[in-house]
Amino acid sequence: MKKQIVQIVAVLLCLWGVVLPARGQITLVEDSRPVSRIVLQQDTETSRQAASLLQDFIRRISQATLPITTGKSVRAGDVVIREDTSGSIGEDGFRIHTADQQLFISGGPGKGSIYGVVTLLEQYLGVSYYAANACTYPSLKTVQLPQIERTEVPAFRYRQTWSYGNEDPVYKLWFRLEEPNEMFIDNMWVHTFNRILPASVFGKEHPEYYSFINGERRPGDNSQWCLTNPEVFEVVASRLDSIFKAHPDMKMISISQNDGNNTNCRCPACREVDEYEGSPSGNFIRFLNKLAERFPDKEFSTLAYLFTMQPPKHVKPLKNVNIMLCDIDCKREVPLTDNESGQVFVKALEGWSRISDNIFVWDYGINFDNIVSPFPNFHILQPNIQLFKKNHVTMHFSQVNGIRGGDFSEMRAYMIAKLMWNPELDTDSLMQTFMKGYYGAAAPYLYQYQKIMQGALLASGQPLWIYDSPISHKNGMLRPALLKTYNALFDKAEAAVSADTVLLNRVRLSRLPLQYSELELARTDIHSDKTAVQELLNLFEERTAGLGVTSLNERNNRPDDYCRLYRQRFLPQKEQSKAAGARVTWIKPPHERYRALADTALTDGLYGGTTYVESWVGWEGADAAFVLDLGEEKTFTRIETDFLHQLGAWILLPAGGTYSVSSDNKEFRLFGSFKFDEDRDVQVKFVKGEVTAEQPVTARYIKVEVKGIGLCPTWHYGVGYPAWFFMDEVNVY
């Protein structure tokens, strides 16, 4: 009888328009009034952050503010945030569950409770975050939650994307990202040798602490240590002891080689260890193990990078030694398992995974030399991350998205962050979800753009490299017919969102890499429509400024400087060089890698860009000398040669040079000389070796002699190794 009465009452209530809450539902807000409370069972910084995040978004959704309180006393409808101390939930993991008309968010060590709140908002309350300051959420008067039982633990205990979006604190929390200063003592997380043992302090009195290279000790800001020297260990241990005492609450520090491909110490003792271990990494692991034994309560990270990438044959890292393995030399057109450069890395990864369960992979996912250019690597993200997880990787840094304006930077960071948390997510679904939410009605056209370019890259067989140039793909994914297709898709994308300024600017920001590529391709084509190029350059300059793009590459070259130099170097000038098409006869030829190009590159009228892989002619640790034949006697007053300055690639300016002239190619007279001052600026530059005569000179032959600097100086990455210099056009006016 009671059951019948309850059913009759329920029917009557429905007829009167009263809706009963579903069994197990928890009402947080009703008619824009708070019903629930947020209760912190432990008053910690993490719990407070989690509560504030939940309170903020409930207010955005419903205009109601849930009160935050602390203590053990709870009532029906409360959201309880607590930190799990049982050890049953892993680092940064969480459990969300409903019981007794209450919602519990239990966080594991780290930021688990915060990430539990993020998942609650995203999966159950319709909040979506796409990029910095770019999120969507529903507008509701009543906010209810169903019954929930959900537990998650991340695939990697540390996750980093180096995203420019991290300036938005909610973005960083939403995508469960961390930064080195949160994990590493005093932000010592990579290339720390010179911070710990500065050559400026120790180098003069103790050159024996530093690498023996090409016959002598070479202290310098980028020198490595002589790891077999027992004094080095004691000095380093003493300095670390002071650092640890100054930061008692932190555990992890990086003791890692300085940057650059300058190899380790080659003194007899170090060389003996290298030969026994089969890799220079053996010396590093032996040194790190000694530190790990001296300080067993600390965790020591060290690089397996460039010359230390391959693991040692015999010594094994202790448990508190973390291996930071870098795949910098790998090509990116296919997963790491599928091309030769990647397979070398995979061999190293598998080798390290056999001797360590404490591996940090530093992966690279953008073009450092031309960040604002297409880099269609989305199809390899998941298989690579799954490969890392399979091989005992517990920490992962994907170096992408550091500069606004990079190729689909926001989507790349979104997808990688999701996959670092759960590598099994469907990547195509992630891409489409992001595009629909971030680009709106433009999404279908941009999705087509990505898929067509991906297919064109794979069909071309051209590698995708992190120091790439768009010029490398001019016969592949950037050939003219495809550029026309890409632009048609972007035209449709812009038209689809033309009424929405926010969406239109997002589409235009994502179009910049295509426009940059068109400009780069046009400068290498003497038949390009210079009027159209000028219009595109003006548009690129206008949009980079308007959309807040401040750099085009890792070396912080500005778009406005690029456009200014483009007009000077690549667009028609009033003066025409009298050396155009001149024949070159070599006296001291370039490095053999550049000889095929060299015969025409210096006088073809086409200047090289910021990437040395195209148009430039290089010499390594040597001098240059050659004679230009102008074809007939000509009168001129100025000779200039274009040089590239790109420190990151070991390309430094030469010491200087001289120009001599002749009418018979036998007797030469001096025209003039030029010198370059040492330049330590990391920006990529084009520098002219220029000489102007006081009076006009008539000659047919011009001898160009350039004096290199020999070895890289002590302050440079390549200390003790041959320096490169690169030149392009020789102009005569």
Side-chain angles (χ1 to χ4, degrees):
M1 183 67 180
K2 286 183 179 180
K3 183 177 180 181
Q4 290 177 330
I5 293 172
V6 170
Q7 289 175 334
I8 292 169
V9 171
V11 170
L12 291 173
L13 288 172
C14 289
L15 291 172
W16 295 335
V18 177
V19 179
L20 292 175
R23 181 177 297 177
Q25 275 191 335
I26 297 174
T27 301
L28 305 183
V29 176
E30 187 170 21
D31 197 22
S32 298
R33 290 181 295 105
V35 175
S36 179
R37 303 179 304 167
I38 303 172
V39 181
L40 309 184
Q41 290 203 335
Q42 296 97 357
D43 189 8
T44 65
E45 182 181 353
T46 299
S47 293
R48 289 193 297 273
Q49 273 191 291
S52 296
L53 188 65
L54 180 59
Q55 183 188 59
D56 177 35
F57 274 95
I58 293 297
R59 184 189 300 117
R60 297 192 205 190
I61 291 168
S62 67
Q63 305 303 307
T65 301
L66 301 187
I68 298 174
T69 186
T70 59
K72 301 292 183 182
S73 176
V74 296
R75 65 192 187 199
D78 281 348
V79 177
V80 181
I81 296 176
R82 59 191 183 186
E83 296 183 8
D84 182 88
T85 57
S86 68
S88 60
I89 303 176
E91 184 174 347
D92 284 345
F94 59 84
R95 181 188 178 204
I96 309 174
H97 76 285
T98 49
D100 301 324
Q101 287 296 300
Q102 294 160 358
L103 176 75
F104 295 89
I105 301 174
S106 304
K111 298 179 181 176
S113 55
I114 297 174
Y115 302 147
V117 166
V118 168
T119 297
L120 179 74
L121 292 168
E122 189 170 49
Q123 299 297 323
Y124 302 98
L125 291 173
V127 183
S128 295
Y129 227 91
Y130 300 105
N133 304 302
C135 68
T136 60
Y137 45 84
S139 178
L140 302 171
K141 290 187 175 182
T142 297
V143 180
Q144 293 180 320
L145 292 171
Q147 287 186 313
I148 303 173
E149 179 58 63
R150 187 186 192 108
T151 300
E152 293 185 20
V153 178
F156 303 95
R157 67 183 173 109
Y158 177 90
R159 304 158 303 280
Q160 181 188 352
T161 65
W162 202 271
S163 171
Y164 74 82
N166 285 351
E167 63 203 32
D168 171 7
V170 176
Y171 171 91
K172 182 168 170 285
L173 291 175
W174 199 274
F175 289 100
R176 293 107 159 153
L177 299 174
E178 298 173 272
E179 292 183 320
N181 60 3
E182 299 174 66
M183 176 71 73
F184 291 86
I185 298 170
D186 199 24
N187 205 25
M188 286 197 180
W189 80 292
V190 71
H191 303 315
T192 59
F193 272 14
N194 202 55
R195 284 189 62 186
I196 296 167
L197 210 65
S200 60
V201 176
F202 294 92
K204 186 174 182 180
E205 292 187 11
H206 295 284
E208 71 276 12
Y209 289 0
Y210 301 91
S211 289
F212 186 81
I213 303 171
N214 292 330
E216 64 180 84
R217 297 285 178 179
R218 298 184 186 272
D221 295 350
N222 291 278
S223 296
Q224 313 304 347
W225 296 341
C226 180
L227 295 171
T228 56
N229 185 334
E231 285 188 33
V232 171
F233 177 80
E234 293 302 330
V235 173
V236 169
S238 175
R239 292 176 71 82
L240 289 179
D241 186 56
S242 299
I243 292 170
F244 295 152
K245 287 175 179 175
H247 301 85
D249 298 330
M250 298 191 75
K251 178 182 177 182
M252 194 169 195
I253 192 168
S254 175
I255 312 298
S256 53
Q257 68 203 61
N258 290 320
D259 202 1
N261 201 19
N262 50 327
T263 58
N264 61 320
C265 179
R266 302 298 293 160
C267 75
C270 286
R271 192 166 61 248
E272 182 180 354
V273 175
D274 292 347
E275 291 171 358
Y276 174 75
E277 293 289 356
S279 169
S281 64
N283 241 320
F284 285 74
I285 299 305
R286 290 185 180 197
F287 191 89
L288 267 291
N289 280 352
K290 288 171 66 178
L291 289 175
E293 289 174 340
R294 178 73 63 92
F295 304 98
D297 60 327
K298 302 300 180 183
E299 185 174 5
F300 295 88
S301 181
T302 194
L303 283 166
Y305 171 65
L306 297 173
F307 63 89
T308 55
M309 186 177 78
Q310 294 297 334
K313 290 181 178 178
H314 303 290
V315 65
K316 296 181 180 180
L318 296 180
K319 289 186 179 298
N320 58 327
V321 173
N322 171 258
I323 306 303
M324 186 181 285
L325 178 61
C326 307
D327 58 11
I328 190 167
D329 279 340
C330 300
K331 302 299 191 295
R332 311 284 155 171
E333 74 283 354
V334 292
L336 290 165
T337 52
D338 294 354
N339 66 23
E340 185 177 358
S341 62
Q343 288 162 4
V344 173
F345 171 81
V346 172
K347 179 184 176 184
L349 174 61
E350 291 174 345
W352 285 110
S353 73
R354 284 192 289 269
I355 61 175
S356 176
D357 291 324
N358 191 359
I359 301 174
F360 182 137
V361 162
W362 184 328
D363 188 30
Y364 303 78
I366 202 65
N367 182 345
F368 290 131
D369 275 358
N370 295 280
I371 288 179
V372 185
S373 63
F375 200 81
N377 70 332
F378 292 99
H379 58 293
I380 72 170
L381 301 181
Q382 184 177 49
N384 285 351
I385 291 175
Q386 289 175 334
L387 173 73
F388 304 152
K389 179 63 179 172
K390 176 184 174 183
N391 284 279
H392 306 170
V393 174
T394 61
M395 304 175 73
H396 183 27
F397 170 34
S398 184
Q399 191 170 3
V400 299
N401 199 38
I403 292 177
R404 179 173 171 83
D407 181 55
F408 283 80
S409 288
E410 298 79 12
M411 183 167 73
R412 185 174 282 101
Y414 173 94
M415 292 176 64
I416 288 173
K418 295 282 189 182
L419 290 167
M420 286 195 295
W421 185 268
N422 179 4
E424 303 308 316
L425 294 174
D426 182 83
T427 52
D428 196 66
S429 176
L430 288 175
M431 178 180 283
Q432 294 207 47
T433 297
F434 176 88
M435 285 191 167
K436 289 173 184 175
Y438 191 68
Y439 297 112
Y445 307 110
L446 301 185
Y447 180 77
Q448 286 184 62
Y449 168 80
Q450 277 296 333
K451 292 302 179 180
I452 293 171
M453 183 172 284
Q454 173 189 320
L457 170 66
L458 293 173
S460 72
Q462 178 68 27
L464 190 67
W465 193 34
I466 64 171
Y467 296 108
D468 224 338
S469 165
I471 313 305
S472 303
H473 299 277
K474 65 181 179 181
N475 297 318
M477 68 178 186
L478 296 177
R479 64 183 184 270
L482 287 170
L483 291 175
K484 185 176 180 180
T485 300
Y486 302 151
N487 277 307
L489 288 169
F490 265 107
D491 287 344
K492 291 178 180 178
E494 289 192 30
V497 294
S498 59
D500 188 320
T501 303
V502 171
L503 296 181
L504 180 60
N505 282 339
R506 290 175 183 173
V507 172
R508 287 178 170 174
L509 184 68
S510 298
R511 191 173 190 167
L512 289 176
L514 178 62
Q515 294 170 327
Y516 175 80
S517 293
E518 289 183 283
L519 288 169
E520 286 292 279
L521 292 165
R523 69 173 173 76
T524 68
D525 182 3
I526 59 175
H527 302 297
S528 60
D529 182 341
K530 298 303 186 287
T531 300
V533 173
Q534 178 67 69
E535 290 174 356
L536 179 58
L537 184 66
N538 293 343
L539 180 62
F540 183 77
E541 185 172 37
E542 173 190 323
R543 288 192 176 171
T544 51
L547 296 170
V549 178
T550 59
S551 184
L552 297 179
N553 54 38
E554 186 186 27
R555 306 302 173 185
N556 297 320
N557 287 84
R558 296 179 55 84
D560 54 349
D561 286 339
Y562 170 82
C563 294
R564 175 179 56 80
L565 287 169
Y566 197 103
R567 293 184 179 97
Q568 292 176 4
R569 291 167 60 81
F570 309 131
L571 292 180
Q573 304 297 309
K574 292 181 180 179
E575 279 189 298
Q576 298 299 311
S577 173
K578 296 182 179 182
R583 185 168 60 86
V584 178
T585 300
W586 297 104
I587 302 171
K588 295 180 181 179
H591 190 284
E592 60 184 0
R593 189 186 310 168
Y594 299 96
R595 288 180 190 173
L597 170 74
D599 287 343
T600 57
L602 298 182
T603 60
D604 62 3
L606 297 174
Y607 284 87
T610 56
T611 305
Y612 70 91
V613 297
E614 48 88 14
S615 194
W616 293 96
V617 180
W619 283 258
E620 183 186 26
D623 300 335
F626 54 90
V627 174
L628 293 181
D629 180 358
L630 304 183
E632 61 183 9
E633 286 201 323
K634 296 181 181 180
T635 301
F636 48 89
T637 58
R638 186 170 89 251
I639 304 173
E640 60 185 36
T641 301
D642 203 36
F643 292 91
L644 179 65
H645 168 89
Q646 190 178 7
L647 295 185
W650 296 25
I651 300 169
L652 289 79
L653 294 177
T658 61
Y659 301 122
S660 304
V661 297
S662 171
S663 294
D664 60 6
N665 201 21
K666 295 178 182 178
E667 298 292 331
F668 283 85
R669 60 190 186 277
L670 180 66
F671 182 85
S673 301
F674 61 91
K675 292 183 179 180
F676 291 129
D677 294 330
E678 184 177 79
D679 190 342
R680 302 189 185 190
D681 191 348
V682 298
Q683 281 201 344
V684 181
K685 299 177 183 178
F686 311 115
V687 183
K688 293 185 185 302
E690 183 176 348
V691 176
T692 301
E694 293 182 1
Q695 299 294 328
V697 171
T698 300
R700 173 175 174 174
Y701 300 95
I702 299 174
K703 183 188 292 183
V704 180
E705 298 172 286
V706 180
K707 179 68 175 175
I709 63 170
L711 301 180
C712 294
T714 58
W715 52 266
H716 187 264
Y717 310 118
V719 54
Y721 287 87
W724 286 86
F725 71 83
F726 278 77
M727 68 172 74
D728 190 3
E729 289 299 296
V730 181
N731 288 317
V732 177
Y733 301 107

